[in-house]
Amino acid sequence: MTFRSVALAALVAAAKVTAQDAIINVTSDVSTRSLIPDIYGYSVEPIWVNDYISTPMAANLLGIIADVTGKPPPIRVGGNTADQTYIHDTLSTGNDSVAIPGLTNAKLFNITAGWYESWADYFPEGTDIIYTLNLAVNDSAWANAVAEAEAVHAALGDKLVMFELGNEIDHFINKGWRDPSWSVAAYTQQFRNLTGQITSSAWYATADGKPKFQAGVFADPPWVPDQQDEVDNFSIANLTQDGEGGIVERPEDREIIGSYATHLYPQSTCDTARWLRMRLDLLSNHTVLWLNVSQYAPQAAAADKAGAPLVMGETNSVSCSGKSGISDTFGAALWGVDYVLMGASIGIQKTYFHLGAQSEYSAFTPQPYELKNESVQAGIRANWYGHYFVAKVAAAGQDEELGIAALPGANSSELSGYAVYAGTSGSGEEQKELRKLVFLDMGVWNGTQGLGNNATLSATDGAVFSEGERPAATLRVSTPWCAGTNVTVTRLTGPGTNAKSGVAVAGVMFNSKTGEKLSEETVEVLSVGTDGTLEFGLTRAEGVLLEVGSTNCTGGVPTTDTSGAAGKGVAFWTGLVVVVISCMVILGT
């Protein structure tokens, strides 16, 4: 038995009854950050684009999100092979693209302009696309990158909202693409050279909706030395001189930068040291996530000062293509929700989850394939449901802007909470109205159900299962909502943290082959008690979204619009007058 197994077994045996009380007082006098409809996006490795556009699955899933939020998820075409991409007039193979020597071990990706045209109309209408140019090869004055830029814009038009110049440029020394003098100063000089060529070109001058540039694109976490591939000074704070100079010293550069990007993978299979630290219970842990994400708060502040938002331009659970048993579980779905909302609360405007058609962390895979002596089918994985849940959190009403704040009273390893406010204008001053609450039980419950999914591998993160009854908590929250207001409840559920199937949002599952909904949603409805108090249940390893419409009250009677529950199965709960969370965890013997 491993040390981890011993520790978990001892914990289960020792903890018969655990009680945790915390006061949660939700008010409107909090500082919020923007919560936009397309907060959750995808980054697609260039060599795998052909697979994703070969079936309607990806388009269907992205369209489902757009139906909820009103805006399709943003797409970034980029990754390691972006800096190995070369554009040619024609290819000897007679097609539009070829990975050499092959897809799973590509060192070179040759394309023609026709490759861009092949996927230009695939994504749902209104999808914002970012394309990563090859910055690695800097001979011939970046002629290849300049040609890529013109060709991709000719195919995509105003769907192309930004270019990136290179992928994870803070690894260029380690990869042998730059010498040890490579730094933010050298990058800034080369950024200005290449962007200057693009913006002065004839096609750019006549383009409608001229694409901007996503700057930075750094891989290494600023405060985690053992995850840094080389010694350098790359960070958004250094690049922008804390938002007051550097790459934005010149007004013309500030004007063309649409956002700044960093990357993050909290776990990794890339080397032995990090392999030994991979654990599902560490991924699905709010405190561990905070330690990872909070290091980007200064980077977000620097980006804001520099005039453009910070985005997490590429991310996922485990780098080097993921780890089945961790990346493809319900725990990863809960982690994804917490991650995206936490990032938004500190100023990370968007988060792009990386996709590879044969990667273990991908939320959905378009084609069947063979991997590690197993046959994997096309389909949807558990982590996709996290995106669908986030879409419901980020969906705003007409002409409504949302803001988000983390709840200090729901902040522990096993509990996470967020408040979402609707912004309106009145008397020249911004007014914030509490519109939604999100609570995530991040505690681990490893069950024996839902462990299989033919769209992923059969691996598990250990063979130790939770014993006894699955814990459940009663949460009691004080809000500014009027007594009697109806609150709709949407739950993100699964058989256990380790489950790979059986996951649902409001009881809805999706067809694994087509992405279509298999049923209508069932939504609970709570009623706010006196003094604005709510009471509801939360199971170990579960997410809940509480939402109201307008909460204007007339004579103490709420005028909340609950029309969103029309046509759905509805169950009514009643709120009680309590202002604490009482978490009573009962474990079997």
Side-chain angles (χ1 to χ4, degrees):
M1 181 179 288
T2 64
F3 173 79
R4 173 174 172 264
S5 299
V6 171
L8 290 177
L11 179 61
V12 170
K16 300 296 183 183
V17 178
T18 302
Q20 177 183 350
D21 293 338
I23 296 174
I24 296 183
N25 184 25
V26 183
T27 63
S28 59
D29 58 345
V30 293
S31 176
T32 62
R33 299 301 302 257
S34 176
L35 179 65
I36 60 175
D38 56 339
I39 184 176
Y40 195 127
Y42 291 104
S43 164
V44 186
E45 190 69 39
I47 60 168
W48 293 116
V49 168
N50 291 351
D51 284 66
Y52 275 100
I53 67 170
S54 67
T55 76
M57 177 192 292
N60 288 344
L61 292 174
L62 299 175
I64 286 169
I65 298 299
D67 289 342
V68 175
T69 64
K71 175 72 175 175
I75 298 294
R76 174 233 190 196
V77 177
N80 286 331
T81 53
D83 286 307
Q84 298 164 322
T85 299
Y86 293 83
I87 189 167
H88 304 269
D89 292 335
T90 60
L91 299 179
S92 60
T93 54
N95 52 7
D96 292 328
S97 65
V98 58
I100 300 172
L103 285 170
T104 58
N105 56 353
K107 302 298 181 184
L108 187 65
F109 187 48
N110 288 333
I111 64 169
T112 70
W115 181 66
Y116 298 122
E117 295 168 1
S118 71
W119 49 269
D121 296 322
Y122 177 82
F123 299 103
E125 186 68 27
T127 300
D128 291 338
I129 300 175
I130 298 173
Y131 182 75
T132 307
L133 303 173
N134 184 342
L135 188 69
V137 54
N138 60 344
D139 54 3
S140 302
W142 287 285
N144 181 73
V146 171
E148 282 185 280
E150 182 173 5
V152 69
H153 182 266
L156 271 63
D158 59 8
K159 301 171 188 175
L160 179 68
V161 297
M162 275 188 283
F163 294 112
E164 283 186 335
L165 307 188
N167 175 68
E168 299 183 348
I169 60 128
D170 52 337
H171 287 181
F172 276 18
I173 298 174
N174 189 57
K175 291 180 176 179
W177 294 339
R178 295 293 187 275
D179 64 31
S181 67
W182 184 235
S183 63
V184 293
Y187 166 73
T188 299
Q189 183 181 24
Q190 294 183 18
F191 178 92
R192 289 171 175 168
N193 184 317
L194 180 49
T195 58
Q197 291 187 65
I198 293 172
T199 57
S200 63
S201 62
W203 70 262
Y204 193 92
T206 59
D208 294 328
K210 296 175 173 57
K212 292 192 174 187
F213 297 85
Q214 184 157 280
V217 201
F218 304 146
D220 293 335
W223 294 349
V224 187
D226 74 342
Q227 291 190 29
Q228 296 177 2
D229 279 22
E230 61 193 40
V231 178
D232 55 47
N233 66 345
F234 287 107
S235 72
I236 304 303
N238 287 341
L239 179 64
T240 63
Q241 293 182 3
D242 289 324
E244 298 178 354
I247 200 170
V248 290
E249 182 179 6
R250 305 188 317 181
E252 59 267 37
D253 294 322
R254 181 183 289 263
E255 183 178 342
I256 63 171
I257 293 175
S259 55
Y260 294 87
T262 54
H263 295 178
L264 173 63
Y265 288 83
Q267 299 186 25
S268 180
T269 66
C270 299
D271 53 71
T272 301
R274 285 182 287 174
W275 181 288
L276 295 174
R277 296 203 298 264
M278 285 190 303
R279 283 170 36 182
L280 177 57
D281 62 333
L282 290 180
L283 183 75
S284 183
N285 182 300
H286 179 68
T287 300
V288 173
L289 179 61
W290 170 249
L291 293 174
N292 275 310
V293 174
S294 61
Q295 64 185 312
Y296 292 93
Q299 312 305 312
D304 287 344
K305 287 183 181 178
L310 179 69
V311 304
M312 195 60 73
E314 180 189 316
T315 193
N316 220 305
S317 52
V318 180
S319 63
C320 290
S321 296
K323 180 68 171 67
S324 183
I326 297 176
S327 304
D328 52 1
T329 65
F330 181 56
L334 288 168
W335 164 81
V337 175
D338 202 15
Y339 182 11
V340 172
L341 300 184
M342 181 185 295
S345 74
I346 68 166
I348 299 174
Q349 187 184 68
K350 299 182 182 182
T351 300
Y352 294 77
F353 288 82
H354 205 47
L355 296 176
Q358 297 184 16
S359 295
E360 296 174 48
Y361 51 42
S362 296
F364 46 92
T365 53
Q367 294 284 359
Y369 61 96
E370 300 290 321
L371 182 66
K372 298 180 180 179
N373 298 318
E374 294 188 44
S375 296
V376 180
Q377 301 303 307
I380 300 169
R381 295 171 177 167
N383 34 334
W384 150 256
Y385 289 87
H387 187 181
Y388 187 62
F389 184 80
V390 168
K392 291 183 171 294
V393 177
Q398 187 175 3
D399 300 323
E400 190 174 66
E401 294 183 356
L402 300 182
I404 188 169
L407 293 173
N411 180 23
S412 68
S413 294
E414 297 183 347
L415 182 64
S416 175
Y418 300 91
V420 177
Y421 297 84
T424 58
S425 296
S427 304
E429 295 183 1
E430 181 182 353
Q431 304 294 316
K432 288 188 297 188
E433 181 179 291
L434 180 66
R435 187 59 48 83
K436 308 180 187 185
L437 290 169
V438 180
F439 293 97
L440 303 170
D441 187 308
M442 303 296 289
V444 172
W445 176 259
N446 286 329
T448 57
Q449 303 297 314
L451 300 184
N453 182 342
N454 64 11
T456 189
L457 297 176
S458 61
T460 61
D461 184 42
V464 176
F465 301 101
S466 302
E467 298 180 1
E469 297 279 336
R470 187 170 179 174
T474 297
L475 276 66
R476 299 178 177 92
V477 183
S478 175
T479 77
W481 292 333
C482 306
T485 299
N486 286 338
V487 181
T488 60
V489 181
T490 301
R491 294 182 183 272
L492 173 61
T493 60
T497 305
N498 58 342
K500 297 184 177 184
S501 60
V503 180
V505 176
V508 171
M509 297 182 183
F510 295 86
N511 185 298
S512 189
K513 293 183 178 180
T514 66
E516 297 175 350
K517 273 187 178 183
L518 294 178
S519 64
E520 289 299 312
E521 297 180 8
T522 299
V523 181
E524 302 168 21
V525 177
L526 298 171
S527 180
V528 178
T530 55
D531 297 332
T533 303
L534 286 174
E535 180 183 276
F536 55 94
L538 186 64
T539 302
R540 174 57 43 89
E542 184 181 43
V544 62
L545 166 64
L546 311 172
E547 182 175 4
V548 299
S550 173
T551 56
N552 295 323
C553 299
T554 303
V557 179
T559 59
T560 301
D561 177 12
T562 57
S563 59
K568 304 173 182 177
V570 178
F572 286 89
W573 292 43
T574 302
L576 299 180
V577 189
V578 195
V579 294
V580 298
I581 289 182
S582 297
C583 301
M584 186 66 69
V585 181
I586 304 176
L587 300 178
T589 57

